[in-house]
Amino acid sequence: MKLFEYEAKSILARYGVPTPKGGLATNSKEAWEIASKLKPPFAVKAQVLVAGRGKAGGILFAESLSEVERAAEKLLSMRVKDIPVRKVWIEEKIRIKRELYFGITTDRFNRSYVAIASSVGGMEIEEIAEKTPEKLIKFLINPQHGFRSFHARQIARKMGYSGSQLLELEKIFLGLYRAGVDYDAELIEMNPLTETIDGRFVAADARIIMDDNALFRHQEFRKRLLEGESELAPQELEAIKNGLAYVKLNGNIGVIGNGAGLVMATLDTIKYYGGEPANFLDVGGGASSEKIAAALKIVLSDPNVKALFINILGGITRCDEVARGILEAREKMRVTKPTVIRLVGTNEEEGKKILKEAGIHVLESMETAAQKVVEITRQG
Amino acid sequence: MKLFEYEAKSILARYGVPTPKGGLATNSKEAWEIASKLKPPFAVKAQVLVAGRGKAGGILFAESLSEVERAAEKLLSMRVKDIPVRKVWIEEKIRIKRELYFGITTDRFNRSYVAIASSVGGMEIEEIAEKTPEKLIKFLINPQHGFRSFHARQIARKMGYSGSQLLELEKIFLGLYRAGVDYDAELIEMNPLTETIDGRFVAADARIIMDDNALFRHQEFRKRLLEGESELAPQELEAIKNGLAYVKLNGNIGVIGNGAGLVMATLDTIKYYGGEPANFLDVGGGASSEKIAAALKIVLSDPNVKALFINILGGITRCDEVARGILEAREKMRVTKPTVIRLVGTNEEEGKKILKEAGIHVLESMETAAQKVVEITRQG
Amino acid sequence: MPIIVNKNTKAIVQGITGKQGSFHTKLMLEYGTKIVAGVTPGKGRTRIHNVPVYDTVEEALEKHEANASIIFVPAPFAADAILEALENGIKTIVTITEHIPIKDAISVMSYAKQQGATIIGPNTPGIISPEECKLGIMPAHIFRKGNVGIISRSGTLTYEIAASLTRNGLGQSTCLGLGGDPITGLNFVDVLKMFREDPQTEAVVLIGEIGGNLEELAAEYITKENYPKPVAAFIAGRTAPPGKRMGHAGAIIMGKAGTAESKIEALKNAGVDVAEKPSDIAGLLLRKLS
Amino acid sequence: MPIIVNKNTKAIVQGITGKQGSFHTKLMLEYGTKIVAGVTPGKGRTRIHNVPVYDTVEEALEKHEANASIIFVPAPFAADAILEALENGIKTIVTITEHIPIKDAISVMSYAKQQGATIIGPNTPGIISPEECKLGIMPAHIFRKGNVGIISRSGTLTYEIAASLTRNGLGQSTCLGLGGDPITGLNFVDVLKMFREDPQTEAVVLIGEIGGNLEELAAEYITKENYPKPVAAFIAGRTAPPGKRMGHAGAIIMGKAGTAESKIEALKNAGVDVAEKPSDIAGLLLRKLS
């Protein structure tokens, strides 16, 4: 789950990380009021959850209160990478000497968290990562005793700092780490972490992505995710509520399957035979009939869908449960769209029997099924 | 730092450990009011920090509100093991089926925390520990990943529990452990942890001793310790404020030394030669002249003191600092009591010189000095 | 002799009384897997499918000999269940549970490494050495004993490809799902090393997907070690739009690294045959093995 | 050759710029101890007593060779300082700092054990092998090179007894303070084992105090192993009133266990000579060694 900049900054501030003074506004009047309590010049920043906001024009600068008002108005009426801007964050603009990068994320291969730092941060960090990775400091965090004060100092030293600046960076890095641990962040970063012209440090931008698997420990965020203030499509929201993984795509073949790999391979196969999938929907492992019914409802709510392809290979998922879910949903929703079902694995015989008795034909090969559904949409 | 029962219970309750409903009163009217909101029968318990409160008459039972009033009155006017009772805790009396014990403390030899459990708890626990230690379950807590749910279940099983009772004990043991970690407890225990006649569990009594070395992380408790509500003598309080360790004893020779071992050996030596120490006072390592002066002030505030024995063996403590502190204090407080000083170690020559110039004689052997001070008090 | 599990594997089931735990215990028993005991806290002193159930792993191992565990307990409690198995000396742990928080998984994996234990998963279909032992939730009838080792990041794709191999007369030595969670106990390189030493395994199938760089690291290992057995691969997610999440965090695409193209290119450069469709794997292998 | 520290010990000082750190660095240098570098965060690129100061142990070890560290940093930061030394591969760590929280100490000691490192202290006067190396804060002039090993729970009592041995012509191989904090890196048994193997050490002095059961465990070890070298002991706190705290948590008396009587009895039963006064130790040893 991605957090907004203003959420990430308020978390970091509570962990002792200096952030610019600022406030959140949903209209230009509020923006004016917030700015009136701050010192000019100002930065007015669209609160959207997409990367590359700066380059897409989502950050404006202002010298006066009236300029803040105009900037807020402009941002609140625009879309950043197709996402409408609902809130803006107004803050004091920092006088920059140097832009640094510091973040912590997960390292799958080493099965640990990893701290990444660079004395060249800002918008170019991704370019640096690609072109001159030697400018990045990578520090694997020992899971046994975590990220400690001296690790922070080791990194600060390698970034070229000493004296009181080294001690200041130590506090900031540790604060970020502790925030990351407490909030179950799979990514937490300051980019840029700004060195000001008077030699102090301020997190000019901050990003937190929380581990979705740990949201049960952070009910307030789970609630925020499910009750709006997120940038999810209605189907995506409905999917999360039902424990499903859904991604909207641009084609006309609705896809439901179990297991991310299988569903991705299903999309690949549909494309291979010239079809266009309308979505990705993974019901996960061990789906109940209710979950299958919910999945059908979500996929069919997309008006572009002309045909359905249900691809189930039962392991922990039981084919009989799937069959019951399909019948249930078809009955309730009066599904009339052509459906191709491929059903094999655990309790396969029982599942097939249930569907056959309801007059539904079941295929055994993914590829035959994919060809069939592509054919149907071509005819339609 | 010892916490009162009501403090320990309120901490445990916040960690999900069931405790009896109750409230704190400083007079019998308050006691009546608290009891009026509870279900009879009641327990009225003196809030004192001494062990063996029950056997010393510090716990009374009451069937009615007027009995509660009388019990509170009685307790608030008595002393438990010489400590005046200032507060009582009134709670619903538990209908006991069985009394268990569960606590966590430190194991020095293994350098870890250790959980101790017994299915025979209550007042007899110390007797059990001595006579039938095999009835105690001792579980060393691995420092690397701490006390986990399954450890709690392993212990509950060995105590003879299963089913929902095992799961209930799991929650209670884990709650106690987490409270202990968060509050830096060197001892945290429920004794008894009561199994009620309907098969549930309630911590009928609770005790927490916080690690004094970690009080800097718990300023609210440090404040409470220094600003009253403790059972310390004025000298003991003054000692804590100055970072000194002071214990009042019953003799007439005031003792100041550096290092607990040396001061204890000094007391032993005084007794060996027939004297009676008035106190134990350890200035610790590296004491400044201000600290030495504070130590003199505390020791001399005891009217029983007839002579002083200052025994300093400098390592991290510097003899010149000690000498300056002694002169400073003598000047300010116009010390007239005879003083025997033994001063050797780091910066010994300088320290001796300072004292000699002020006309104070310094001895080199602890035993000669002890004999001398005993002689002085005999003459006095 | 296959890898990790075989005829001598004796397992306990943690979370045996849950819906999935109970159902798959039955299927594993039917397959012939030696399930000696089950553990569910609070359900001790009962039996399920005639397997005795205990409150703790400790008690189960006091009364039975076991060298493996399969875990079905819910995600919030799964890390503790793994630790419980580890602390009681179990060295092979299959974690079916999905969606274990990253923080919990990292801490447990570090301890497992210290203990020299093998953790399969989390979020894995498990492991099967056909005709010897199935410690997992895969539909057993699609597997046959043979000489192909399968390592996969995707549960259901494993079934897809294993079934196709079986249909084409290619049996399997061991099929193992690494698991779909962000942090897993094994990666491709770990298992490639095991298959290398396993005389029964003559060829390896590697089933990857977009996200992360585990496939790229496998390619690097195969090149560096001049891997002595033929390897074929399938990578799911060629047509996934960049920047979108496909089901789990394992599938975030970050820049170029982690794309299907990057993985396929790396594997091809290492001499691995990469299939376009799951059903093409069998053909590629048959060509290599003939 | 004495134990733990000797002529080849090259040490860094963590917390070198503090009042105690700086003062004792000077004294250690005067004694001839090889102090190669100091560490104080934020004070890098300076010098103190001509010793170069760095911000991190890592940097100090990039520029100097060292195999030991002595720590003077304040208690809230001391556990991290020990970890920093451990992570950078230092295997002998003397922690002068007193009053480290128990929770912090337990976590660090567990890691030190894994790393096979020796931690002396916390709250120790340190260690001295006379004429070879002093890594501590003890007044040096009271020690002489010789054949008696001293293990002590009390700093100042060690000086008391060492000085008395020296006056009586009994030099010391190594004198080591276990440390007065509740959790220490070494206990009597650990050091008894080292002295047993050390050819220079012909007799051992054990200085204990009330509280805990480390002296009782030492007695148990001496009996069980039929300890081959003479041992004399002094226990402080014979006249301490029960239930009162004498200076630190090490001195809480709990019931009978931990009392001076219990310790003295256990040691006497193990064949150890227990002195009534610190000054009696020398006489007891002279009798045993003659």
Side-chain angles (χ1 to χ4, degrees):
Chain A
M1 174 182 178
K2 289 179 188 171
L3 301 193
F4 288 103
E5 177 192 11
Y6 71 88
E7 292 175 310
K9 279 187 171 167
S10 92
I11 289 171
L12 283 179
R14 268 186 285 122
Y15 284 81
V17 176
T19 52
K21 273 187 206 160
L24 192 67
T26 53
N27 58 53
S28 57
K29 192 166 162 285
E30 276 175 24
W32 191 95
E33 273 162 22
I34 287 161
S36 72
K37 287 166 203 148
L38 305 174
K39 263 186 273 175
F42 310 101
V44 186
K45 305 165 88 176
Q47 296 301 292
V48 285
L49 295 175
V50 292
R53 170 187 63 171
K55 284 186 183 163
I59 300 175
L60 299 174
F61 299 106
E63 296 290 330
S64 66
L65 296 181
S66 57
E67 272 181 54
V68 166
E69 219 175 346
R70 280 197 300 277
E73 200 140 23
K74 186 175 171 194
L75 290 176
L76 286 165
S77 61
M78 78 184 269
R79 297 172 87 88
V80 175
K81 294 197 173 180
D82 211 36
I83 302 289
V85 179
R86 295 202 184 94
K87 289 179 179 170
V88 292
W89 173 254
I90 301 98
E91 66 184 18
E92 293 181 0
K93 196 182 161 196
I94 301 155
R95 300 181 69 195
I96 298 170
K97 182 179 172 191
R98 203 173 173 197
E99 291 192 323
L100 318 173
Y101 174 88
F102 186 76
I104 292 176
T105 186
T106 46
D107 181 325
R108 288 160 182 228
F109 186 75
N110 291 296
R111 299 174 192 103
S112 71
Y113 289 105
V114 60
I116 296 170
S118 171
S119 48
V120 196
M123 294 212 220
E124 293 77 26
I125 186 71
E126 276 160 44
E127 213 171 295
I128 290 163
E130 203 177 316
K131 291 187 188 159
T132 50
E134 69 281 1
K135 283 193 182 160
L136 288 181
I137 298 160
K138 265 188 78 178
F139 179 82
L140 277 185
I141 297 173
N142 180 331
Q144 202 175 329
H145 44 254
F147 187 74
R148 298 288 189 134
S149 59
F150 58 92
H151 298 137
R153 293 192 293 264
Q154 288 174 1
I155 292 170
R157 173 175 82 85
K158 285 177 189 151
M159 291 169 85
Y161 289 97
S162 62
S164 64
Q165 286 194 310
L166 179 132
L167 300 179
E168 185 59 27
L169 285 176
E170 171 193 328
K171 270 186 223 145
I172 291 171
F173 296 169
L174 274 180
L176 179 126
Y177 169 72
R178 287 182 187 140
V181 169
D182 289 353
Y183 282 86
D184 274 293
E186 63 180 53
L187 171 74
I188 180 165
E189 65 180 10
M190 303 174 282
N191 188 31
L193 169 63
T194 303
E195 183 184 350
T196 63
I197 50 167
D198 55 347
R200 306 187 64 245
F201 300 96
V202 179
D205 198 359
R207 213 151 74 102
I208 295 178
I209 303 179
M210 287 174 77
D211 175 6
D212 288 341
N213 294 346
L215 281 186
F216 69 88
R217 292 200 277 242
H218 307 279
Q219 288 300 336
E220 68 288 11
F221 286 95
R222 203 181 135 72
K223 213 178 147 201
R224 196 284 261 140
L225 184 72
L226 298 181
E227 293 179 3
E229 268 211 77
S230 69
E231 294 168 355
L232 300 170
Q235 290 100 335
E236 286 173 330
L237 208 58
E238 197 59 32
I240 290 173
K241 284 182 189 168
N242 285 284
L244 305 166
Y246 174 90
V247 180
K248 177 146 178 32
L249 302 170
N250 298 319
N252 55 10
I253 300 173
V255 176
I256 294 171
N258 63 325
L262 182 70
V263 181
M264 281 193 279
T266 308
L267 304 188
D268 294 349
T269 309
I270 288 171
K271 281 221 174 185
Y272 181 85
Y273 289 113
E276 281 298 333
N279 67 277
F280 168 101
L281 195 157
D282 173 14
V283 297
S288 61
S289 57
E290 293 78 25
K291 223 168 171 176
I292 301 289
L296 272 160
K297 199 176 154 196
I298 290 165
V299 171
L300 291 169
S301 71
D302 176 357
N304 295 336
V305 168
K306 287 172 79 177
L308 266 177
F309 180 5
I310 302 172
N311 186 4
I312 301 289
L313 231 162
I316 202 160
T317 305
R318 294 157 58 164
C319 294
D320 53 329
E321 283 277 351
V322 172
R324 268 187 282 271
I326 292 171
L327 291 189
E328 206 176 284
R330 282 174 66 97
E331 209 161 293
K332 270 196 204 144
M333 299 164 59
R334 291 183 215 147
V335 178
T336 51
K337 293 194 177 150
T339 305
V340 176
I341 297 173
R342 189 268 189 135
L343 193 66
V344 291
T346 305
N347 286 18
E348 174 179 332
E349 293 313 315
E350 210 180 325
K352 279 184 184 160
K353 204 179 141 212
I354 291 168
L355 290 175
K356 274 180 192 160
E357 279 169 5
I360 299 170
H361 191 58
V362 183
L363 296 172
E364 276 185 24
S365 148
M366 169 160 94
E367 279 143 62
T368 322
Q371 279 172 280
K372 173 121 191 185
V373 79
V374 170
E375 205 176 292
I376 290 170
T377 51
R378 284 222 179 107
Q379 291 165 345
Chain B
M1 174 182 179
K2 290 179 187 170
L3 301 193
F4 288 102
E5 177 192 11
Y6 72 89
E7 291 175 309
K9 278 186 171 168
S10 92
I11 289 171
L12 284 178
R14 267 185 285 121
Y15 284 82
V17 175
T19 53
K21 273 186 205 159
L24 192 68
T26 54
N27 58 53
S28 57
K29 194 167 160 283
E30 275 176 26
W32 191 95
E33 272 162 23
I34 288 161
S36 70
K37 287 164 200 147
L38 306 174
K39 265 186 271 177
F42 311 100
V44 185
K45 304 164 89 175
Q47 296 300 293
V48 284
L49 296 175
V50 292
R53 171 187 61 171
K55 283 187 182 163
I59 300 175
L60 299 173
F61 298 105
E63 296 291 330
S64 66
L65 296 182
S66 58
E67 273 181 54
V68 166
E69 220 174 346
R70 278 198 300 277
E73 200 140 23
K74 186 175 171 195
L75 289 176
L76 287 165
S77 61
M78 79 184 267
R79 295 173 88 87
V80 175
K81 294 196 174 180
D82 210 35
I83 301 289
V85 179
R86 295 201 184 94
K87 289 180 178 168
V88 291
W89 174 256
I90 301 100
E91 65 183 19
E92 293 180 359
K93 195 183 162 194
I94 301 156
R95 301 180 68 194
I96 299 170
K97 183 177 171 192
R98 202 173 173 196
E99 291 192 322
L100 317 174
Y101 174 89
F102 186 77
I104 292 176
T105 185
T106 46
D107 181 325
R108 289 162 180 227
F109 187 74
N110 291 295
R111 300 176 191 98
S112 70
Y113 289 105
V114 60
I116 296 170
S118 171
S119 49
V120 196
M123 295 211 221
E124 293 76 27
I125 186 70
E126 277 162 42
E127 212 171 295
I128 291 163
E130 203 178 318
K131 292 188 187 157
T132 51
E134 69 282 0
K135 283 195 182 160
L136 287 182
I137 298 160
K138 264 188 77 178
F139 178 82
L140 277 185
I141 297 172
N142 180 331
Q144 202 176 330
H145 43 255
F147 187 74
R148 298 289 189 135
S149 59
F150 57 93
H151 298 138
R153 295 192 293 264
Q154 288 174 1
I155 292 171
R157 173 175 81 86
K158 284 177 188 151
M159 290 169 84
Y161 290 96
S162 62
S164 63
Q165 285 193 310
L166 179 131
L167 300 179
E168 185 60 27
L169 285 176
E170 173 193 331
K171 270 186 222 143
I172 291 171
F173 295 169
L174 274 181
L176 179 124
Y177 169 73
R178 286 181 186 141
V181 169
D182 289 353
Y183 283 86
D184 274 294
E186 63 179 55
L187 171 73
I188 180 165
E189 66 180 10
M190 304 174 282
N191 187 31
L193 169 63
T194 303
E195 183 183 351
T196 63
I197 50 168
D198 54 348
R200 307 188 63 245
F201 299 96
V202 180
D205 198 359
R207 212 152 76 102
I208 295 178
I209 302 180
M210 287 174 77
D211 174 7
D212 288 340
N213 294 346
L215 281 186
F216 68 88
R217 293 199 278 243
H218 307 278
Q219 289 300 335
E220 68 288 11
F221 285 97
R222 200 180 138 73
K223 214 178 145 200
R224 192 295 255 137
L225 184 71
L226 297 182
E227 295 179 1
E229 267 212 77
S230 69
E231 293 167 357
L232 300 170
Q235 290 100 336
E236 286 173 331
L237 208 56
E238 198 58 31
I240 290 173
K241 285 181 188 167
N242 286 284
L244 304 166
Y246 174 90
V247 180
K248 178 147 178 30
L249 302 170
N250 299 320
N252 54 11
I253 300 173
V255 175
I256 294 171
N258 64 323
L262 181 71
V263 181
M264 281 193 279
T266 308
L267 305 187
D268 295 350
T269 309
I270 289 171
K271 282 222 174 185
Y272 182 85
Y273 288 114
E276 281 298 333
N279 67 277
F280 167 102
L281 195 156
D282 173 14
V283 297
S288 62
S289 58
E290 294 78 25
K291 223 167 170 178
I292 300 289
L296 272 161
K297 198 176 155 195
I298 290 165
V299 170
L300 291 170
S301 72
D302 176 356
N304 294 335
V305 168
K306 287 172 79 179
L308 267 177
F309 181 3
I310 301 172
N311 187 4
I312 301 290
L313 232 163
I316 202 161
T317 305
R318 294 157 60 164
C319 293
D320 54 331
E321 284 277 353
V322 172
R324 269 186 283 270
I326 292 171
L327 291 191
E328 204 178 286
R330 282 173 66 98
E331 210 161 294
K332 269 196 206 144
M333 300 165 58
R334 293 183 213 147
V335 177
T336 51
K337 292 192 178 154
T339 305
V340 175
I341 298 173
R342 189 266 189 140
L343 192 65
V344 290
T346 305
N347 287 16
E348 176 179 330
E349 293 315 314
E350 210 181 323
K352 279 184 185 164
K353 203 179 141 211
I354 291 169
L355 291 175
K356 273 180 193 161
E357 280 169 4
I360 300 169
H361 192 57
V362 184
L363 296 173
E364 276 184 23
S365 146
M366 170 160 94
E367 278 142 63
T368 322
Q371 279 172 281
K372 175 123 190 181
V373 79
V374 170
E375 206 174 293
I376 291 170
T377 51
R378 284 226 179 104
Q379 292 164 346
Chain C
M1 197 76 154
I3 66 166
I4 305 178
V5 298
N6 55 44
K7 274 180 192 137
N8 302 320
T9 301
K10 286 178 188 165
I12 60 168
V13 178
Q14 291 176 257
I16 193 170
T17 59
K19 195 178 166 192
Q20 302 295 351
S22 152
F23 178 71
H24 285 286
T25 296
K26 184 163 163 279
L27 295 186
M28 286 188 282
L29 286 166
E30 283 168 12
Y31 193 72
T33 302
K34 294 178 185 83
I35 303 288
V36 297
V39 175
T40 297
K43 298 276 173 71
R45 311 179 190 183
T46 60
R47 295 183 88 87
I48 192 156
H49 307 306
N50 208 28
V51 174
V53 179
Y54 301 94
D55 287 315
T56 62
V57 171
E58 184 187 50
E59 189 180 5
L61 296 186
E62 278 166 18
K63 293 175 183 156
H64 306 273
E65 214 178 279
N67 50 21
S69 177
I70 179 165
I71 292 177
F72 289 93
V73 309
F77 315 110
D80 264 19
I82 299 174
L83 266 185
E84 184 174 4
L86 286 170
E87 274 202 9
N88 284 284
I90 290 182
K91 300 285 186 210
T92 299
I93 299 166
V94 177
T95 308
I96 305 299
T97 310
E98 62 179 3
H99 302 328
I100 297 182
I102 292 171
K103 191 163 72 181
D104 304 4
I106 283 178
S107 140
V108 164
M109 294 307 168
S110 154
Y111 187 63
K113 201 177 165 188
Q114 276 178 49
Q115 301 292 306
T118 301
I119 305 218
I120 301 172
N123 195 0
T124 177
I127 181 169
I128 184 168
S129 297
E131 293 178 28
E132 301 219 10
C133 177
K134 165 181 145 173
L135 224 48
I137 59 171
M138 56 285 279
H141 68 275
I142 59 176
F143 298 92
R144 287 291 173 280
K145 186 169 190 156
N147 306 322
V148 179
I150 300 181
I151 323 167
S152 174
R153 276 179 67 192
S154 159
T156 39
L157 262 183
T158 313
Y159 314 157
E160 191 71 53
I161 288 169
S164 146
L165 293 186
T166 298
R167 275 196 306 274
N168 286 279
L170 288 164
Q172 302 91 42
S173 52
T174 300
C175 305
L176 180 154
L178 298 175
D181 269 14
I183 303 292
T184 57
L186 294 175
N187 56 46
F188 287 115
V189 173
D190 297 324
V191 189
L192 279 168
K193 285 181 189 165
M194 297 182 199
F195 278 136
R196 182 186 177 149
E197 305 305 321
D198 174 39
Q200 187 182 331
T201 303
E202 289 174 12
V204 178
V205 174
L206 196 151
I207 306 170
E209 60 186 38
I210 53 171
N213 65 340
L214 299 182
E215 292 82 359
E216 284 88 339
L217 291 167
E220 200 181 300
Y221 168 79
I222 289 167
T223 307
K224 207 180 70 189
E225 299 287 317
N226 200 9
Y227 199 72
K229 302 184 180 183
V231 181
F234 176 78
I235 304 295
R238 288 167 186 248
T239 62
K244 283 279 187 182
R245 237 171 214 243
M246 290 297 191
H248 48 64
I252 303 175
I253 305 183
M254 294 152 129
K256 193 184 165 328
T259 60
E261 292 71 45
S262 152
K263 291 171 192 303
I264 291 167
E265 195 192 324
L267 288 166
K268 282 189 174 166
N269 288 342
V272 173
D273 281 330
V274 183
E276 293 229 25
K277 301 195 303 298
S279 58
D280 296 345
I281 289 277
L284 294 174
L285 277 187
L286 284 169
R287 220 186 312 143
K288 285 255 180 171
L289 288 171
S290 64
Chain D
M1 197 74 158
I3 66 166
I4 305 178
V5 297
N6 54 46
K7 274 180 192 137
N8 303 319
T9 301
K10 285 179 190 166
I12 60 167
V13 178
Q14 291 176 257
I16 194 170
T17 60
K19 194 178 168 193
Q20 301 296 350
S22 152
F23 179 71
H24 286 286
T25 296
K26 184 161 163 279
L27 295 186
M28 287 187 283
L29 287 167
E30 284 168 9
Y31 194 72
T33 303
K34 295 178 186 82
I35 303 290
V36 298
V39 175
T40 297
K43 298 276 173 70
R45 310 179 189 183
T46 60
R47 295 183 89 85
I48 193 156
H49 307 305
N50 209 27
V51 173
V53 179
Y54 301 94
D55 287 315
T56 61
V57 172
E58 183 187 50
E59 190 180 4
L61 296 186
E62 278 165 19
K63 294 177 183 154
H64 305 272
E65 214 177 278
N67 49 23
S69 177
I70 179 164
I71 292 177
F72 290 93
V73 309
F77 315 109
D80 264 19
I82 299 175
L83 266 185
E84 184 174 4
L86 287 170
E87 274 202 9
N88 283 284
I90 290 182
K91 300 287 184 209
T92 299
I93 299 167
V94 177
T95 308
I96 305 298
T97 310
E98 62 180 4
H99 301 328
I100 297 181
I102 293 171
K103 191 164 71 181
D104 303 4
I106 283 177
S107 140
V108 164
M109 294 307 169
S110 153
Y111 186 64
K113 201 176 165 188
Q114 276 177 48
Q115 300 292 307
T118 301
I119 304 215
I120 302 172
N123 195 358
T124 176
I127 181 169
I128 183 168
S129 297
E131 293 177 29
E132 302 218 8
C133 178
K134 166 182 145 173
L135 224 49
I137 59 171
M138 56 286 277
H141 68 275
I142 59 175
F143 299 92
R144 287 289 174 281
K145 187 168 190 157
N147 306 321
V148 179
I150 300 182
I151 323 168
S152 174
R153 275 178 68 192
S154 158
T156 39
L157 262 184
T158 312
Y159 314 157
E160 191 71 54
I161 288 168
S164 147
L165 294 186
T166 298
R167 276 196 305 274
N168 287 278
L170 287 164
Q172 302 91 41
S173 53
T174 300
C175 304
L176 180 155
L178 299 175
D181 269 15
I183 302 293
T184 57
L186 294 175
N187 57 44
F188 287 115
V189 173
D190 297 323
V191 188
L192 280 169
K193 285 181 189 164
M194 297 182 201
F195 278 135
R196 182 185 178 149
E197 305 305 321
D198 174 39
Q200 187 182 333
T201 303
E202 288 174 13
V204 179
V205 175
L206 196 151
I207 307 171
E209 60 184 39
I210 52 172
N213 65 342
L214 298 182
E215 292 81 0
E216 286 88 338
L217 292 167
E220 200 181 300
Y221 168 79
I222 290 167
T223 307
K224 207 179 69 189
E225 299 287 317
N226 199 10
Y227 198 73
K229 302 184 180 182
V231 181
F234 176 77
I235 303 294
R238 289 169 185 245
T239 62
K244 283 280 185 179
R245 235 171 214 246
M246 290 299 192
H248 50 64
I252 303 174
I253 305 183
M254 294 153 129
K256 193 181 166 325
T259 61
E261 291 72 45
S262 150
K263 290 171 193 303
I264 291 168
E265 195 193 324
L267 288 166
K268 282 190 172 164
N269 288 342
V272 172
D273 280 331
V274 183
E276 292 228 25
K277 303 195 299 301
S279 59
D280 296 345
I281 290 275
L284 294 174
L285 277 187
L286 283 169
R287 219 186 313 143
K288 285 253 180 173
L289 288 171
S290 63

